[in-house]
Amino acid sequence: MQVTLKVKRFDPETGAPPAFADYTIDVPDHATVLDSLLQVRDYVDGSLALRCSCRSAICGSCSMRINGRARLACKTKVIDMARDGEPVVVEPMGNMPVIKDLVVDMESFWAKVRQIKPWLQPVGPKPEREYLVSHEAMMDLSKVMNCILCGACVSDCTVLEVDKSFIAPAALAKAYRFVGDPRDGMQLERLREYSQYGGIWDCTRCNMCVEVCPKGVAPMDRIMQMRAMAIEAGLRNNTGARHTLAFTASVEETGRLNEALLVPRSLGFFNIPALLKEAPTALRFLRRGKLPIRQLFPPLERAIPGIRQVRRIFQKYEAHAKTEV
Ligand code: FES
C-alpha cells in the first residue's frame, strides 16, 4: 500500500520553527508506523531522528503522537491509521520539550518517577528467608507492573498542560505499585506525600491516560484507588479530600450538588483568604444565574423527591465497603 507520513520535523541547529514534512512511500499491509518511519530514515531522509529499540511494544522507547494521540509506533499499524488514504500525522510526544524531530527530553518524566521513591521500604524485622506476599495482592499489582514507562500517558495528560508541577499519571501509577504492596511499610507516609499539591488530588479525571496507555495500566484508576486509601487512612485535611467528602455529603443530604457550599466546605469555612480569592468567581456565577440563591441558605435547600432511594444507594455502598475490608 502507498502511504503518506506527515512528520513534524524540528532541528534546533537550524533555528527554524517546527514544520511538517510529507513522505510518500510503499509499505506492506502489515507495516507498523515505526517500520514506515525507519524506511523513511533508511531510504529517503537519513536526518530523521526518532527513538526505538525492541520493536515489540516492550521497551517503551517509540512513543509518539500518531494522528493526534500518544501511541507506541511499533504497535500501531499504518493501515489502521491511514483510513481512506488519509496521511498519517506523526508528531513528538506532548508535555516534554523536543530535542529533535520525534525525540523528546524525558528528564522531567524520570525526575517525577524518582520523586515518588520507586523502591520498597519495608519496616520491622527482616524475614529469615524472604518476604511473602499473597497471590491476591500480587494480582492486584500485576496490572500496574505492566507499565513500560513509555510516557504516553504523560504526553496526553491534560493537567500537565497547565500545571508542570503535577506528578502525572505514570509516576502516580508507579506510586500505587508501592502503596499497594504489602511488603512496603511506608504506606501512610507515601499517601501523605502523594496527597500534597501536585499529587493524587490534582488529577481532573479526564481519562486520557487510560485511553492512551498501550499496556492497560489505567493510571487514573490507580490514582482514584490511592485517593480512597488516603481518605480511609484519615488523610482528610487537604482541599482534594475535603472536596470529595463535601461532594458526597451534599448528594446524600439533598440528592443535589450544592455548589455554593462546596467551595467553603472544600477550602474550609475559616480559610478567609482562600474564600476571598474565590469570591469574584462566585459573583460571576451569581450574575449569570448559575448559582441558585437558595443554595446559599442551606435551610431553603429541599431534598429531591427521590432522596430515600439516593440514601439507600449510600447505605448499600457502605455495607458493601464494610464486607470488602
Ligand atoms: Fe520498544 Fe516500541 S520500540 S516499545
Side-chain angles (χ1 to χ4, degrees):
M1 65 181 281
Q2 194 174 65
V3 65
T4 300
L5 298 172
K6 219 174 181 33
V7 185
K8 199 172 205 178
R9 305 281 318 255
F10 169 66
D11 184 350
E13 286 181 7
T14 65
F20 283 99
D22 290 1
Y23 302 99
T24 302
I25 52 170
D26 283 315
V27 292
D29 283 358
H30 62 260
T32 64
V33 173
L34 181 61
D35 293 334
S36 315
L37 288 168
L38 291 175
Q39 190 173 319
V40 169
R41 193 185 65 183
D42 292 347
Y43 299 104
V44 184
D45 186 343
S47 69
L48 177 66
L50 65 136
R51 279 198 187 109
C52 65
S53 181
C54 71
R55 300 172 75 170
S56 315
I58 293 169
C59 73
S61 55
C62 68
S63 263
M64 54 188 76
R65 271 198 181 144
I66 302 167
N67 285 359
R69 159 168 298 215
R71 307 171 203 261
L72 292 179
C74 70
K75 200 184 174 202
T76 308
K77 285 204 174 157
V78 170
I79 201 166
D80 295 331
M81 295 291 108
R83 297 251 180 240
D84 306 321
E86 289 286 303
V88 179
V89 181
V90 186
E91 299 166 90
M93 281 197 287
N95 288 324
M96 286 168 259
V98 179
I99 297 174
K100 186 173 188 277
D101 298 335
L102 303 171
V103 179
V104 295
D105 180 355
M106 292 185 74
E107 181 43 42
S108 64
F109 174 91
W110 295 117
K112 284 173 181 174
V113 172
R114 287 193 292 271
Q115 184 185 337
I116 59 96
K117 303 193 179 89
W119 55 85
L120 275 176
Q121 300 181 73
V123 293
K126 277 195 183 155
E128 251 173 55
R129 292 185 62 195
E130 59 191 323
Y131 290 99
L132 295 178
V133 185
S134 72
H135 178 68
E136 292 71 33
M138 280 328 279
M139 285 310 288
D140 179 44
L141 292 180
S142 64
K143 208 171 170 192
V144 78
M145 283 159 74
N146 283 341
C147 176
I148 54 172
L149 295 167
C150 64
C153 58
V154 170
S155 161
D156 287 16
C157 171
T158 54
V159 178
L160 258 191
E161 274 177 33
V162 292
D163 185 355
K164 296 291 173 222
S165 65
F166 182 44
I167 303 177
L172 287 173
K174 177 67 80 187
Y176 178 78
R177 187 255 166 274
F178 296 98
V179 167
D181 193 315
R183 293 167 294 182
D184 196 89
M186 304 295 277
Q187 191 189 67
L188 186 63
E189 289 74 7
R190 284 184 188 273
L191 288 171
R192 187 173 289 124
E193 204 178 313
Y194 308 151
S195 295
Q196 305 292 316
Y197 182 77
I200 52 178
W201 295 104
D202 286 81
C203 166
T204 57
R205 304 178 58 151
C206 70
N207 209 44
M208 280 308 287
C209 58
V210 179
E211 284 180 24
V212 301
C213 175
K215 290 291 176 180
V217 172
M220 187 192 79
D221 296 350
R222 309 286 86 83
I223 296 171
M224 295 310 128
Q225 276 176 285
M226 285 194 287
R227 283 185 182 180
M229 291 165 105
I231 288 187
E232 190 68 25
L235 300 171
R236 298 168 179 220
N237 193 18
N238 57 65
T239 310
R242 281 195 300 261
H243 181 82
T244 300
L245 295 169
F247 201 110
T248 39
S250 173
V251 175
E252 193 174 7
E253 280 160 18
T254 63
R256 286 196 197 91
L257 175 63
N258 184 326
E259 303 204 41
L261 274 186
L262 193 63
V263 176
R265 275 178 166 173
S266 305
L267 298 173
F269 280 94
F270 300 109
N271 190 351
I272 307 297
L275 290 175
L276 284 177
K277 234 168 136 188
E278 299 299 328
T281 315
L283 283 175
R284 260 203 319 275
F285 272 41
L286 263 178
R287 232 181 293 134
R288 295 196 181 158
K290 292 191 172 178
L291 199 59
I293 293 281
R294 63 169 198 285
Q295 289 198 343
L296 295 170
F297 306 98
L300 296 182
E301 180 80 321
R302 286 216 203 100
I304 58 166
I307 188 65
R308 279 175 48 200
Q309 277 96 316
V310 173
R311 290 189 185 140
R312 221 173 288 143
I313 293 172
F314 274 86
Q315 285 158 6
K316 275 200 168 174
Y317 172 76
E318 274 153 26
H320 175 74
K322 272 187 200 141
T323 57
E324 293 252 296
V325 173

